Amino acid sequence: MSLLKTSLTGLKADSFRHPLDLEATKTLKQIPGLDMMVRNLLGPMAEQVFYVENIASSILVGEKQLPDLHKLLLEACQILDIDPPQLYVRQHPAPNAYTFAMRGKQPFVVIHTSLIEILTPEEIQAVIAHELGHLKCDHSVYLTPVNLLILAAAIVPNVGAVLAQAIQSQLLEWVRCAEFTCDRAALLATQDPKVVMSVLMKLAGGSPSLAPQLNLDAFVDQARAYDDISKTELGEMVKSARTAQLSHPVPVLRAREIDRWASSQEYQKLVQNHGINYKSESPSPGGWRNW
């Protein structure tokens, strides 16, 4: 399938960064010593752990290894104007994808096989682009402690427990806001809000057998109903309590945010004001398992 997309040459992170991401990042920057802790304590250790784990237990995607996935990566990087990271596929039953990067080091993205199993090629590219959004926005300084501090008490018992308790809530609040930004990166790469919202729908309730049966319009209606909960004070309190300890916003809320941003003048101008149109040759579904 050929799609005419806009390559966003010269795209800057702040041009699509979600306002909540900006606000939460300012709050995190006020935490003394966080950046130093990541660079000098958690960073070097995490780098070795993740590198060894991936090289030993995952598949590195390239021109000769899962080339269709590699092509999706390169296309997304071209559109978002970012250097390609390494992409790994990992056998895992929980649908997920994540990014790891330290400044000056080779960044990489990991996608679990169970997530690939429920997505179309276009949706997989949306997931890749979401992770590229973390790299484009230099989220790595704070993503590292988000991924590690929950386990820090076990890794460095005398230090980790105190640090985790002190800043975990602020880190979780930040990463939820950062996810909105990266969903925008997914939209910029796919240039189709239905693709991004479909990924979120399948994360909420998809499986290899159920995914083809899901109705996106019904899921968008569900997202709008979730908005209505906030019309009462009690409803807003319940929503806040529900999300306080989550590392990601709930899928219906993320879908609603993308639905709104895709209809905004901000998004339309951003795409129109950048670059070059080119045809994206997406791999046909026959090149993958039955979606």
Side-chain angles (χ1 to χ4, degrees):
M1 179 174 60
S2 297
L3 299 174
L4 188 65
K5 295 183 181 180
T6 299
S7 183
L8 305 177
T9 305
L11 178 68
K12 303 298 183 183
D14 284 347
S15 66
F16 66 91
R17 199 186 296 268
H18 194 283
L20 292 177
D21 183 4
L22 284 170
E23 182 179 344
T25 300
K26 289 179 182 177
T27 300
L28 276 190
K29 286 181 177 179
Q30 297 173 5
I31 300 175
L34 178 59
D35 187 80
M36 183 181 66
M37 177 190 67
V38 174
R39 295 175 189 275
N40 298 330
L41 176 62
L42 295 177
M45 176 173 54
E47 179 189 354
Q48 289 300 313
V49 170
F50 279 119
Y51 177 77
V52 171
E53 186 66 20
N54 277 312
I55 204 72
S57 304
S58 304
I59 297 296
L60 177 60
V61 173
E63 293 181 359
K64 297 181 180 180
Q65 185 70 273
L66 301 175
D68 286 344
L69 284 178
H70 188 242
K71 185 175 181 180
L72 292 176
L73 168 68
L74 295 182
E75 286 180 352
C77 289
Q78 179 179 348
I79 294 170
L80 295 177
D81 198 9
I82 184 173
D83 292 333
Q86 291 183 335
L87 174 63
Y88 289 90
V89 172
R90 179 165 187 164
Q91 178 73 35
H92 201 286
N96 195 20
Y98 58 90
T99 302
F100 184 85
M102 294 298 295
R103 288 173 183 166
K105 303 294 183 180
Q106 171 68 55
F108 61 82
V109 173
V110 179
I111 304 180
H112 289 175
T113 52
S114 54
L115 182 56
I116 293 174
E117 293 287 309
I118 63 175
L119 301 181
T120 66
E122 293 81 5
E123 291 164 354
I124 294 170
Q125 187 171 61
V127 170
I128 292 171
H130 174 100
E131 299 305 322
L132 293 176
H134 286 305
L135 298 175
K136 184 79 176 180
C137 295
D138 198 23
H139 285 159
S140 59
V141 169
Y142 304 120
L143 278 177
T144 299
V146 166
N147 289 332
L148 294 177
L149 274 181
I150 295 174
L151 301 176
I155 298 172
V156 276
N158 295 331
V159 178
V162 176
L163 290 172
Q165 290 177 0
I167 63 178
Q168 181 176 334
S169 62
Q170 288 174 296
L171 285 169
L172 289 175
E173 173 65 22
W174 169 80
V175 78
R176 288 193 297 270
C177 297
E179 292 300 306
F180 290 134
T181 293
C182 294
D183 286 343
R184 290 182 172 191
L187 175 59
L188 290 172
T190 61
Q191 297 172 20
D192 185 347
K194 290 184 178 180
V195 171
V196 182
M197 291 189 289
S198 182
V199 172
L200 296 167
M201 175 181 66
K202 291 177 180 180
L203 283 172
S207 70
S209 61
L210 288 178
Q213 304 176 46
L214 296 177
N215 184 306
L216 182 57
D217 290 336
F219 182 70
V220 173
D221 289 341
Q222 179 182 338
R224 291 169 182 153
Y226 183 79
D227 276 351
D228 292 339
I229 297 174
S230 297
K231 292 180 179 179
T232 68
E233 184 176 349
L234 177 60
E236 183 60 30
M237 288 175 58
V238 171
K239 283 173 61 175
S240 297
R242 166 74 176 80
T243 60
Q245 296 303 313
L246 298 178
S247 62
H248 289 61
V250 293
V252 289
L253 180 57
R254 293 169 64 183
R256 190 68 180 110
E257 283 290 310
I258 282 298
D259 189 28
R260 287 173 172 166
W261 197 59
S263 303
S264 69
Q265 290 187 354
E266 178 187 357
Y267 168 72
Q268 299 297 334
K269 289 180 180 179
L270 186 58
V271 174
Q272 291 170 6
N273 291 342
H274 284 80
I276 306 164
N277 292 333
Y278 73 98
K279 277 191 176 182
S280 170
E281 301 288 343
S282 299
S284 66
W288 306 78
R289 73 175 307 283
N290 293 328
W291 302 111

